[in-house]
Amino acid sequence: SFTTSNWQAHEYGHWIKLLNVDGPSGSNCPSKTHKNVMHFEKKWAQDRTYHRWEEQGIWYGFSYHGGVMLGPPWDIPAPPLWRHFRQMYFDMALLLFYIRISLFRFSSQLTDITPRNGKYEDKGNENFDRLRSVFSVFTIRYQFPLLSNQQQAIEMFYLARKHFDLDDLYKEVKEEINNTHEYLEAQKQGRLARSANLIAMFGIPLGVLAILISV
C-alpha cells in the first residue's frame, strides 16, 4: 500500500530504480530489489524526491536523466495525477533538457572558435562577439523562467533544475566566456599600448620634422 505513512520513497527499492531510470533487480521477485538497495542509493534518492505528498503515496522525483512519478492509479481528481504529470511536468523537463543542450552547445562553439595558439584574428573576435551576444539573449530568456504561480510547480521546477546540474554547468560556461572576454580585452589593450608607444617614439620627431619642412 502506497498510503502507509511509515514508508518513505527513498526506502523503496523500485522507486530508487525508477528514479535512476533503471529496471528492477528481478521482475518476478520484487523483494530482491529492496534487499539490494545500498545506503548510498537511499541518500541519493532522498535528495531527489519531492516530499510534499510523500506520506500520501504520491511520489515525484527528478534525476539527471529526467522526471518520474509513482502513485495510485486514481481517476479522481480528474484528470488523474499521472496525466497531469506527463503533460505539465514533462514540458518542464523538456525545457530543462533544452537549456542543458544549449549550454553544451555554447561550450562547444567556444572551443571551435578558440585558436590553438591563443591569438585571435579579426574574424575570431567577430565570432566571439556574436557568441557572447547570443549567450546574453539566452540568459535573459531561459536562465530564470517562472513557469507557474503554483507553489508545487515552483518547488518541483527548482528541484528538477538542481538535479539536472544546470546551475553548475551555466556557471562554468559563463566563466569560460567571461575569461575569454577578459583575455581579448587584454590583447586589445596591449595593441593600443604598443601603438601609443610607437606614436610617442616616432610621432614627435616626425611632427617636428614636418614643421621644419613646412617652414
Side-chain angles (χ1 to χ4, degrees):
S1 173
F2 288 108
T3 59
T4 303
S5 60
N6 292 331
W7 278 20
Q8 294 178 308
H10 66 277
E11 297 286 346
Y12 187 56
H14 279 14
W15 170 249
I16 297 174
K17 294 295 184 181
L18 177 64
L19 186 57
N20 198 38
V21 196
D22 284 334
S25 298
S27 57
N28 297 326
C29 182
S31 62
K32 183 178 180 181
T33 302
H34 313 316
K35 291 179 181 178
N36 293 336
V37 172
M38 298 182 295
H39 176 74
F40 167 80
E41 293 178 296
K42 292 181 180 180
K43 187 177 184 302
W44 178 88
Q46 186 177 19
D47 293 339
R48 289 160 176 77
T49 300
Y50 181 65
H51 300 286
R52 179 182 285 269
W53 310 110
E54 187 176 19
E55 292 185 357
Q56 297 187 21
I58 305 172
W59 299 344
Y60 303 98
F62 296 91
S63 68
Y64 188 80
H65 311 291
V68 296
M69 174 192 172
L70 188 63
W74 294 335
D75 292 330
I76 300 176
L81 293 175
W82 59 267
R83 185 177 300 170
H84 179 69
F85 181 82
R86 77 174 186 179
Q87 293 172 350
M88 176 179 179
Y89 296 105
F90 178 77
D91 292 341
M92 180 178 72
L94 287 180
L95 173 62
L96 294 175
F97 273 124
Y98 169 77
I99 294 175
R100 189 165 71 190
I101 292 172
S102 298
L103 290 172
F104 280 127
R105 183 178 299 172
F106 280 118
S107 180
S108 177
Q109 290 177 347
L110 185 60
T111 302
D112 292 339
I113 66 176
T114 301
R116 294 184 178 181
N117 59 6
K119 296 181 180 180
Y120 286 80
E121 305 296 337
D122 291 338
K123 185 177 181 181
N125 290 338
E126 293 176 1
N127 292 336
F128 175 76
D129 290 339
R130 190 180 304 110
L131 175 66
R132 192 164 181 264
S133 175
V134 175
F135 184 77
S136 299
V137 175
F138 166 80
T139 299
I140 294 172
R141 291 186 176 179
Y142 300 107
Q143 180 59 13
F144 308 103
L146 183 62
L147 300 181
S148 173
N149 58 0
Q150 182 190 30
Q151 187 62 28
Q152 173 174 303
I154 295 174
E155 293 171 354
M156 292 179 66
F157 176 76
Y158 281 106
L159 179 67
R161 183 183 184 85
K162 174 183 177 181
H163 294 294
F164 271 45
D165 291 338
L166 289 181
D167 291 335
D168 290 340
L169 180 59
Y170 173 79
K171 291 177 182 177
E172 181 179 344
V173 174
K174 182 180 179 181
E175 185 176 354
E176 290 177 358
I177 293 177
N178 288 341
N179 289 342
T180 305
H181 176 70
E182 293 176 0
Y183 174 74
L184 292 178
E185 287 296 313
Q187 278 193 335
K188 181 179 179 180
Q189 293 300 324
R191 289 193 296 269
L192 292 176
R194 288 191 293 271
S195 299
N197 290 335
L198 289 175
I199 292 174
M201 183 179 300
F202 300 105
I204 295 177
L206 290 175
V208 172
L209 180 62
I211 294 174
L212 293 177
I213 292 175
S214 64
V215 171

